[in-house]
Amino acid sequence: MSDSSWNEPKYWMMGLYKGERVLASSWDFKKDKIQKNALESIDVETRARDNSSGYLFLQYTFNNNASCEEEIANAKKSSL
């Protein structure tokens, strides 16, 4: 973020931890051959556990995601 006080390279992880830095990428496969596997997108982003350690968050989304989310929501409703 442009107004971040954590703007030096040595504070990169602190900026990430405080939500003042972002490093992420996304790939969409709308017209790609990979769609034959029902893969719709891949997202990767950096996340911080604290001011000195972090990890990568990786998410695969398939073309049946909406129906899966609906099924999960319905299961949560019926368990209450």
Side-chain angles (χ1 to χ4, degrees):
M1 305 298 167
S2 60
D3 59 345
S4 175
S5 57
W6 309 105
N7 56 9
E8 292 182 40
K10 65 182 179 180
Y11 298 127
W12 194 90
M13 190 61 75
M14 180 57 95
L16 185 64
Y17 179 65
K18 296 288 187 178
E20 297 180 10
R21 289 185 189 247
V22 176
L23 179 60
S25 189
S26 181
W27 296 268
D28 293 322
F29 301 107
K30 305 285 187 226
K31 296 179 182 177
D32 202 295
K33 290 180 182 180
I34 203 161
Q35 272 195 317
K36 69 180 179 180
N37 296 316
L39 186 60
E40 192 170 280
S41 67
I42 299 173
D43 298 288
V44 64
E45 103 184 32
T46 54
R47 294 188 178 177
R49 293 189 190 281
D50 55 37
N51 66 350
S52 63
S53 65
Y55 59 98
L56 290 176
F57 175 79
L58 177 64
Q59 178 174 311
Y60 295 91
T61 304
F62 293 88
N63 62 11
N64 65 341
N65 186 60
S67 61
C68 292
E69 294 288 342
E70 183 179 340
E71 186 175 330
I72 291 167
N74 289 336
K76 286 180 181 178
K77 287 178 191 175
S78 66
S79 67
L80 297 176

